[in-house]
Amino acid sequence: MKVTIIGTGYVGLVTGTCFAEVGHQVICVDCAADKIKLLQAGGIPIYEPGLEELVKKNTAAGRLRFTTSTKEGVEKSDVVFIAVPTPPLPDGSVDLSFIEGVAREIAASLTRYKIVVDKSTVPVKTGEKVAETIKRYSKSRVEFDVVSNPEFLREGFAVEDFLHPDRVVIGSRSQRPVQAMKELYAPFHAPIIVTDINSAELIKHAANCFLSLKISYINALSVICEAAGANIQEVANGIGMDARIGRQFLDASLGFGGSCFPKDLSAFIKISEQLGYDFALLKDVQQINAQQMDRFVKKINETLWVLKDKKIGVLGLAFKQNTDDVRMSPAIDLCQRLKKEGAHLRVHDPKAMEKAKAVLKDVTFVADMNEVADGCDALIIATEWPEFKKLDIEKARKVMTHPIMFDGRNLFDVAEMEQMGFIYKSIGR
Ligand code: UDX
């Protein structure tokens, strides 16, 4: 099928590339000329495992092209995806100006029937507005359908998630575009759920808020575990084996971050408010998340007493493993707080150092994770990178002024760390 993706950011690029990979003809459009130039030259603007290879392979095969022209993209395709950013506004609501702008551009280029698919995360009822806008701004009376098809990609696993989805949600007002959408997704052999547009839009916010609720629940439980002398990992394993609960997203941490959960929570609270419901439960999710970081910093303060001029090593800057993304990263937030108190930081991340350099000043970036602890008064684990489990603990113990570790991701075993002579503080254990 002939598909155009408008917006070649994280979601758009993964979507376009994976559609090309299963044999569709894809045009990726972006208004950023430098980005399109880079992609045309075989470069890639983001780090995402497996993506670069697929972009190269499908570009070479002639199934994937890049352009700055929305008109060309719309004219040459049957299905047009909108995958532009929907950033938060200061009051927590969603900035829909990019969506509206693209809807108008599509309208201006409509010459025959198209399926316009919204993939960006948007408030419920946005599809209705997009349809209204296209109708209003299209010069000809060309027919079109608007479909909602939310993405559920995790950064760091986006290609894998796109190629092997748990489910595909297709929200449509009419039957007409449904068959084509099913054909588009047929190569992925995933269950397809067809709903109305509003429900599809709601599914996305509801899913992300539920996942963040799961994390805040386990984080709240970690407080109880610490107070009661229990172990949060054992509790998570015990409840997670109930198939109705599931073990995933039950890892206690110094809090969740990233470009999705915090933004989607604020947006959904705002949307609910506008629809006349005070979603207090989700406000608690936000509050527990913020308190989790406060509690972690308090632990550091209580153990190290004065932070001024202390040397602290921080392992992890990305908001989670397998990504170079530092947006809303709890690790960066933690570094800023420690710096404010006068600590000198030695930091390392396997992938996110370059991006971190733009937001984190006056710290020492260390290329080798095993050299971060040199001369440090404490070592912190801030991101759940699996390679940190292979840290040379014995070496760290020897080179630190005193072996103290704060593990915000519970990567190590409490008894083993204490046996090695560490003062070891983790989450909920
Ligand atoms: C999320 C959703 O998972 C995805 O479906 C949606 O499309 C976009 O938002 P992402 O933001 O890439 O994906 O990250 P995710 O893997 O969900 O992790 C979010 C945050 O929660 C990270 O900071 C992570 O470290 C934290 N987390 C996750 C925990 O603290 N504990 C857990 O058990 C799981």
Side-chain angles (χ1 to χ4, degrees):
M1 293 174 77
K2 292 195 174 102
V3 185
T4 283
I5 319 284
I6 302 176
T8 309
Y10 182 78
V11 171
L13 184 58
V14 172
T15 302
T17 306
C18 291
F19 276 143
E21 174 66 11
V22 297
H24 299 306
Q25 283 292 329
V26 180
I27 302 175
C28 284
V29 181
D30 203 289
C31 58
D34 50 342
K35 192 191 280 182
I36 292 299
K37 225 176 182 174
L38 176 74
L39 285 158
Q40 283 169 339
I44 186 150
I46 50 164
Y47 168 74
E48 187 61 37
L51 186 59
E52 191 168 359
E53 293 82 338
L54 288 193
V55 170
K56 283 197 177 127
K57 179 182 156 195
N58 287 285
T59 309
R63 288 190 296 265
L64 182 61
R65 292 197 297 118
F66 301 95
T67 175
T68 51
S69 167
T70 303
K71 188 168 183 290
E72 182 194 345
V74 174
E75 277 173 1
K76 293 192 173 152
S77 293
D78 305 311
V79 186
V80 179
F81 278 83
I82 304 176
V84 293
T86 49
L89 289 166
D91 69 348
S93 64
V94 183
D95 179 356
L96 292 167
S97 58
F98 298 112
I99 298 269
E100 196 261 357
V102 170
R104 280 192 284 133
E105 282 182 44
I106 292 173
S109 310
L110 274 190
T111 48
R112 60 185 167 85
Y113 174 77
K114 305 278 166 189
I115 302 173
V116 178
V117 188
D118 174 48
K119 211 169 219 340
S120 305
T121 301
V122 293
V124 60
K125 289 175 177 291
T126 299
E128 290 175 6
K129 292 276 180 212
V130 168
E132 241 173 68
T133 305
I134 296 177
K135 203 167 172 190
R136 193 172 298 157
Y137 285 90
S138 58
K139 291 182 196 85
S140 47
R141 290 217 167 266
V142 181
E143 289 190 1
F144 67 91
D145 273 302
V146 172
V147 166
S148 165
N149 171 224
E151 55 85 15
F152 301 102
L153 310 177
R154 291 167 300 165
E155 288 187 28
F157 302 91
V159 171
E160 181 64 21
D161 284 350
F162 200 97
L163 295 175
H164 307 285
D166 286 343
R167 80 306 205 181
V168 172
V169 176
I170 295 169
S172 176
R173 247 197 320 204
S174 74
Q175 268 306 308
R176 187 169 177 189
V178 172
Q179 194 47 39
M181 289 301 294
K182 282 185 174 171
E183 274 167 38
L184 193 63
Y185 277 101
F188 302 101
H189 306 293
I192 293 179
I193 301 166
V194 179
T195 69
D196 60 277
I197 301 191
N198 288 342
S199 301
E201 289 168 339
L202 254 171
I203 285 169
K204 171 64 197 231
H205 272 130
N208 269 2
C209 290
F210 188 82
L211 290 169
S212 54
L213 182 144
K214 235 182 143 177
I215 301 171
S216 276
Y217 182 73
I218 205 73
N219 280 338
L221 272 183
S222 78
V223 181
I224 304 295
C225 283
E226 278 178 31
N231 182 323
I232 192 63
Q233 282 173 316
E234 285 171 13
V235 174
N237 291 341
I239 63 174
M241 282 177 81
D242 183 328
R244 293 170 302 173
I245 297 174
R247 177 61 180 84
Q248 288 183 56
F249 275 71
L250 288 181
D251 290 321
S253 65
L254 38 61
F256 57 77
S259 61
C260 289
F261 286 175
K263 162 175 97 89
D264 290 352
L265 265 172
S266 304
F268 202 45
I269 288 169
K270 199 82 196 165
I271 292 160
S272 307
E273 190 185 299
Q274 283 159 357
L275 293 169
Y277 180 67
D278 176 16
F279 218 141
L281 178 68
L282 295 184
K283 291 179 184 167
D284 280 343
V285 169
Q286 285 181 316
Q287 206 193 348
I288 291 167
N289 200 49
Q291 284 167 351
Q292 200 68 359
M293 178 60 84
D294 293 344
R295 289 171 36 77
F296 193 67
V297 172
K298 194 168 162 220
K299 258 183 216 172
I300 297 170
N301 278 315
E302 278 170 1
T303 312
L304 298 183
W305 191 20
V306 173
L307 292 192
K308 191 169 179 328
D309 291 334
K310 290 265 160 64
K311 220 186 211 185
I312 300 178
V314 181
L315 287 168
L317 298 169
F319 81 98
K320 63 167 197 178
Q321 59 173 310
N322 272 336
T323 179
D324 64 346
D325 196 346
V326 295
R327 286 174 296 170
M328 299 292 285
S329 170
I332 299 283
D333 178 22
L334 177 65
C335 288
Q336 307 288 24
R337 289 184 185 217
L338 300 178
K339 266 179 52 178
K340 225 182 201 162
E341 293 195 43
H344 301 294
L345 304 184
R346 293 173 59 75
V347 303
H348 169 83
D349 190 283
K351 287 277 182 240
M353 304 253 262
E354 278 317 306
K355 292 215 168 134
K357 280 176 189 165
V359 287
L360 200 54
K361 304 290 176 198
D362 302 320
V363 301
T364 307
F365 286 90
V366 183
D368 182 344
M369 73 169 175
N370 282 311
E371 284 171 14
V372 171
D374 289 6
C376 282
D377 299 289
L379 194 56
I380 296 173
I381 308 285
T383 306
E384 68 275 41
W385 281 99
E387 37 269 75
F388 294 162
K389 287 188 185 165
K390 294 188 198 117
L391 184 75
D392 189 341
I393 301 285
E394 185 52 40
K395 183 194 172 226
R397 189 179 63 85
K398 283 189 194 141
V399 298
M400 294 176 75
T401 57
H402 190 88
I404 301 177
M405 185 189 279
F406 301 96
D407 184 352
R409 299 291 185 167
N410 288 349
L411 293 191
F412 298 102
D413 185 81
V414 181
E416 275 175 27
M417 290 302 286
E418 285 174 356
Q419 235 164 31
M420 306 242 344
F422 271 81
I423 294 178
Y424 177 70
K425 311 242 168 181
S426 55
I427 310 278
R429 314 183 294 174

